[in-house]
Amino acid sequence: MSIITIERKVLEKNDQVAEQNREIFRNKKIFVINMLSSPGSGKTSIIEKTIEMLTGKVKIAVIEGDVQTDLDAQRISKLNIPVIQIVTNGACHLEANLVRDAFDKIQNTGSDLLIIENVGNLVCPAAYDLGENEKVVILSVTEGDDKPLKYPAMFRKSDYLIINKIDLIPYTNCRLDTLKSNALKINPKLHIFETSCTTSEGIEEWCCWLINKVSSH
Amino acid sequence: MHELSVANEIINIASQYLPDNSGRVKIIKLKIGTLSNILVDSLIYCYEAAVKNTLLHDSTLVIERAPIIINCKNCLEEILLDVIDNVCPNCGSIDIEVTGGDEMQIVEIELYDKPEE
């Protein structure tokens, strides 16, 4: 009987490419965020609002990840921002090599901030490092205040949480204090933003944080 | 949900340990953490589908579940858990850090004794 002890991480290849991405981003002096959430939480709307507010202040590029269509890239390109759409054709998450290949096409746009919008999924993308500086998880109030407890990995691996659609709270049974305490139970270090892309509430605070991060990067 | 991607990575890595064309992998032993979001039954199902028509076609996965490990910042205990309740079971503090339980590791590979005739 021949047994070979190897002790290798199953996702080591992704982790290696993610580290290479991190090095590329560092050399390009670009700050990178990976936006994670379930479908329909408002990731693309937050990105649009962010672009509107930061135009002239920060040069932004966007990588969009979706299972099908380039609808999101079409929305972003209307704002005259370099954008690449990754269509995963069924895969439930982005992987580091997909981001590397996409970034290759926009690396010479002189951007200071790269926003990666991951595939809408509150489970799998948590396991895949893309080489980003920060993971930002988005949860909209219409999804319910119990979701951090039910899908903890994403909240544990992110340092930042955006609670979106806060203008809809009166029409839901979501309690903002319960949502926040549930999220902090999973990750006491979470920094929380509260936003609405309809009223623009909280977008300025989020953008101020981004500007600080980009300029101190 | 991404068990098929994980199964393919396991095949990629294990294939590197085939000694030569006649060597065959019998068992791939994995350690999968409770917090890894991997459904073991689904991983085995995906592996069996993905491994067909590869050199690993008659190999089997043996999966050991790795426990959740928390470090409590209050009572300074390191505790192993099967289920996490986000509080320290020792002192009740919520000031805990999860330090283990999301691993996905290939621990060892066992080869068949003799090449197939």
Side-chain angles (χ1 to χ4, degrees):
Chain A
M1 188 168 67
S2 171
I3 293 179
I4 312 164
T5 302
I6 62 171
E7 296 191 347
R8 285 171 64 175
K9 286 171 77 175
V10 172
L11 297 183
E12 62 174 20
K13 195 169 116 201
N14 183 76
D15 290 351
Q16 285 159 6
V17 178
E19 276 312 311
Q20 290 162 8
N21 286 353
R22 205 164 270 122
E23 184 66 27
I24 292 166
F25 298 149
R26 198 180 298 129
N27 289 337
K28 290 278 178 189
K29 296 184 170 57
I30 187 165
F31 182 73
V32 183
I33 60 171
N34 180 5
M35 298 188 80
L36 306 148
S37 79
S38 46
S41 67
K43 290 187 292 301
T44 316
S45 297
I46 290 174
I47 295 170
E48 287 172 325
K49 283 285 175 186
T50 303
I51 292 167
E52 282 169 23
M53 188 157 274
L54 294 183
T55 295
K57 296 178 184 130
V58 176
K59 286 189 78 174
I60 303 175
V62 176
I63 293 175
E64 288 287 345
D66 277 297
V67 170
Q68 280 296 332
T69 81
D70 65 349
L71 290 169
D72 280 358
Q74 288 180 36
R75 281 170 63 176
I76 300 301
S77 64
K78 282 183 189 151
L79 302 168
N80 298 315
I81 292 289
V83 57
I84 299 290
Q85 177 79 50
I86 300 172
V87 176
T88 65
N89 282 315
C92 51
H93 58 274
L94 291 181
E95 296 188 11
N97 61 329
L98 297 173
V99 169
R100 177 195 59 202
D101 295 347
F103 183 69
D104 199 44
K105 295 171 190 153
I106 47 172
Q107 61 167 318
N108 293 321
T109 53
S111 304
D112 322 299
L113 169 64
L114 174 65
I115 302 176
I116 303 168
E117 180 180 341
N118 217 311
V119 176
N121 178 340
L122 209 48
V123 183
C124 311
Y128 291 83
D129 184 8
L130 303 180
E132 70 275 349
N133 297 99
E134 298 290 355
K135 284 183 169 63
V136 179
V137 58
I138 296 114
L139 185 71
S140 57
V141 299
T142 49
E143 294 167 65
D145 50 30
D146 55 355
K147 291 305 170 292
L149 301 178
K150 293 169 81 171
Y151 300 87
M154 204 68 95
F155 297 86
R156 197 171 284 125
K157 293 201 171 175
S158 304
D159 285 335
Y160 298 89
L161 163 65
I162 298 177
I163 301 174
N164 195 29
K165 307 188 189 179
I166 53 166
D167 55 306
L168 296 182
I169 286 177
Y171 312 104
T172 72
N173 57 5
C174 173
R175 289 181 55 101
L176 196 55
D177 52 349
T178 307
L179 196 166
K180 284 196 223 173
S181 78
N182 284 343
L184 291 169
K185 232 183 253 179
I186 300 297
N187 181 357
K189 289 182 294 191
L190 266 180
H191 183 100
I192 301 176
F193 299 95
E194 297 167 27
T195 60
S196 160
C197 294
T198 305
T199 66
S200 295
E201 191 179 345
I203 298 293
E204 193 172 347
E205 188 193 340
W206 156 248
C207 286
C208 282
W209 172 81
L210 265 181
I211 289 179
N212 281 334
K213 279 286 185 181
V214 169
S215 55
S216 63
H217 180 59
Chain B
M1 268 172 81
H2 54 290
E3 282 79 358
L4 184 58
S5 310
V6 170
N8 281 324
E9 290 301 325
I10 292 167
I11 294 168
N12 287 339
I13 293 173
S15 299
Q16 296 164 19
Y17 292 87
L18 287 167
D20 53 51
N21 286 339
S22 63
R24 288 159 58 222
V25 172
K26 185 177 180 186
I27 289 170
I28 300 171
K29 191 171 163 195
L30 305 174
K31 189 189 270 186
I32 303 285
T34 311
L35 294 177
S36 65
N37 284 328
I38 291 292
L39 195 60
V40 166
D41 288 348
S42 172
L43 177 60
I44 291 171
Y45 178 82
C46 289
Y47 184 80
E48 286 172 356
V51 83
K52 279 179 191 165
N53 303 320
T54 75
L55 291 170
L56 300 172
H57 63 91
D58 51 359
S59 63
T60 309
L61 296 184
V62 172
I63 298 175
E64 173 195 347
R65 296 315 303 258
I68 301 162
I69 305 172
I70 63 162
N71 275 311
C72 178
K73 305 262 180 70
N74 184 48
C75 69
L76 306 177
E77 288 288 323
E78 182 179 84
I79 300 167
L80 306 189
L81 301 168
D82 292 326
V83 179
I84 188 165
D85 195 25
N86 307 306
V87 295
C88 173
N90 190 42
C91 71
S93 169
I94 59 163
D95 195 8
I96 59 170
E97 187 183 4
V98 179
T99 56
D102 66 348
E103 51 272 83
M104 273 188 261
Q105 193 187 43
I106 303 184
V107 181
E108 60 185 38
I109 289 174
E110 183 181 330
L111 304 176
Y112 281 100
D113 287 337
K114 290 178 186 173
E116 204 168 19
E117 293 301 324

